[in-house]
Amino acid sequence: MNKKSKVLVSCLTVCMLCLNTAAVFGEDATAAAAPTTQPSTAIQVDAKAAILMEPSTGKVVYEQNSNERLAPASVTKIMTLLLIYDAVAQKKISWDDVVSVSDHAASMGGSQIFLEPGEKQTVKDLTKSIAVASANDAAVAMAEYIGGSEEGFVDLMNRKAAELSMTNTHFENACGLDTDNHLTTALDIALMSRELMNKYPDVREYTTKWQDTITHKTKRGDEEFGLTNTNKLIKWYDGATGLKTGSTGKALYCLSATAERNGLNLIAVIMAAPDPTVRFREAMKLLDYGFANFAISFGEPAGKVMGSVKVYKGETEEINAVVKNDVQALVEKGTTDPIEPKVQLVEAISAPFEAGAKVGEIVYMYRGKEVGRSDLVAEAAVKKAGLPHMIGKLMIKWFE
């Protein structure tokens, strides 16, 4: 055997050994850093508890007694709406389903649309009545339709609260009427508001509606009924997108207010304000503070190539690493401090693998702290190279 043949045999042997080599990078990264709470003394809020949150990142930029457990009144219905939208998304119900109103649902007092026992209404119109007019009877009718009973639905509410890390929340009913153990916090309200607005932005179709109507279908015939939004910020505040008011003797005056300007979304929660005008004024104060002082900075766009990774045992020798998720970071307005991306790639990945296989991470730093991250993934699938393919590549290299 001549010298060239010995070298070729050695290369083939090494190639065969590589068939059992693998590269691993670890667990999937999250698309954004965990929420960070930063209390501010720049403003004071005339309410027992308050919070201001940016929902895409979960960053809290103002808080006041945000973990104090208080009665939420009809702000409760944010969770009711969230579970309705979840049920539609999971195809458990549809917007065109017809709901028969029970005696129990029709008996609800407080804010209502005066549903009658046996009346038929669509899921769509009941949901609109909850979001616009804060209708207790519509909320309980939907709770019974989804949960089998209001008690069954309340169990779903509390499970969802636990899923969202609403650790200081316990619900007793679907509409927010006062009971001894029906309690939540400003932070927990912000968390469920964030989930609803992020996951189901279509809810704005109702939460931004100032006035609308439904039709009562009763034994007396069809009767039109007017709805007016209980959230005055829809008329008063530029960029208002929702979300929910609440008031009872125990809760006083509460509000979860959402708004958007120049790509920045904010959630302002007010609990136990002394009167209805104050809750709106203080929510606007928080929103003004947020829009005046903060902005969203965007990371590298999803799909952008951030480098390449070697491929073992593949039909190609390297693969592009691309950004998997868009990342947003909350920064101080007018800051000159940059968002710094740090790219971390594996040395190599073993074929076969699919497009989207994790090959690294991009981590964003702002003022020395992590503010977001995304996986870097393989741009395309790569098949495992067969022996003929590997021999062919070796021959090409040999003759080169």
Side-chain angles (χ1 to χ4, degrees), residues 55-329:
S56 69
T57 62
K59 183 77 172 289
V60 174
V61 296
Y62 176 88
E63 63 170 358
Q64 175 178 302
N65 301 327
S66 64
N67 284 304
E68 183 173 352
R69 301 184 79 207
L70 299 166
S74 285
V75 176
T76 298
K77 297 187 181 89
I78 295 171
M79 181 61 80
T80 304
L81 288 168
L82 177 56
L83 290 179
I84 292 171
Y85 276 82
D86 274 348
V88 172
Q90 296 161 10
K91 301 189 183 304
K92 294 178 179 178
I93 64 173
S94 76
W95 295 118
D96 295 325
D97 285 357
V98 176
V99 178
S100 181
V101 178
S102 71
D103 289 347
H104 174 60
S107 72
M108 291 297 107
S111 178
Q112 58 183 303
I113 53 171
F114 302 98
L115 295 171
E116 297 183 4
E119 182 176 343
K120 311 288 187 186
Q121 288 288 346
T122 64
V123 167
K124 181 178 180 179
D125 280 349
L126 289 173
T127 303
K128 178 169 65 175
S129 300
I130 297 166
V132 177
S134 192
N136 292 335
D137 45 2
V140 173
M142 282 306 306
E144 293 175 332
Y145 187 65
I146 293 172
S149 65
E150 185 175 10
E151 293 78 13
F153 187 78
V154 169
D155 184 53
L156 297 177
M157 294 171 74
N158 286 315
R159 288 188 204 174
K160 190 69 173 183
E163 180 186 319
L164 296 177
S165 298
M166 296 167 59
T167 55
N168 289 307
T169 293
H170 179 79
F171 294 114
E172 290 280 343
N173 57 64
C175 59
L177 292 175
D178 285 338
T179 61
D180 288 342
N181 201 29
H182 189 89
L183 301 168
T184 187
T185 67
L187 173 59
D188 286 357
I189 289 172
L191 290 174
M192 65 177 176
S193 301
R194 177 193 186 199
E195 180 75 0
L196 178 61
M197 299 302 279
N198 281 355
K199 194 173 181 180
Y200 302 113
D202 288 351
V203 74
R204 293 186 183 193
E205 176 188 355
Y206 299 136
T207 60
T208 58
K209 212 175 267 292
W210 178 242
Q211 290 185 320
D212 208 324
T213 61
I214 61 165
T215 301
H216 282 301
K217 298 181 181 298
T218 68
K219 295 177 181 178
R220 299 183 301 277
D222 290 354
E223 300 174 359
E224 190 173 87
F225 185 84
L227 308 174
T228 299
N229 205 314
T230 59
N231 181 8
K232 308 307 180 189
L233 296 192
I234 300 304
K235 292 277 274 186
W236 295 350
Y237 195 77
D238 180 30
T241 58
L243 178 59
K244 193 70 202 69
T245 62
S247 61
T248 63
K250 182 177 180 180
L252 301 180
Y253 297 92
C254 305
L255 172 66
S256 178
T258 59
E260 178 184 8
R261 291 182 188 172
N262 300 318
L264 175 62
N265 285 280
L266 293 171
I267 300 167
V269 177
I270 302 294
M271 296 193 76
D275 66 59
T277 302
V278 169
R279 70 176 164 187
F280 293 123
R281 184 192 70 203
E282 299 304 274
M284 289 190 287
K285 183 192 296 184
L286 284 178
L287 294 170
D288 284 346
Y289 170 77
F291 288 127
N293 291 281
F294 299 95
I296 286 290
S297 179
F298 295 89
E300 302 292 352
K304 182 176 179 179
V305 176
M306 300 304 297
S308 62
V309 172
K310 292 180 181 179
V311 177
Y312 289 145
K313 306 178 295 180
E315 292 184 350
T316 184
E317 294 184 355
E318 64 179 25
I319 190 72
N320 283 336
V322 301
V323 177
K324 181 179 180 180
N325 298 313
D326 293 320
V327 171
Q328 300 179 20

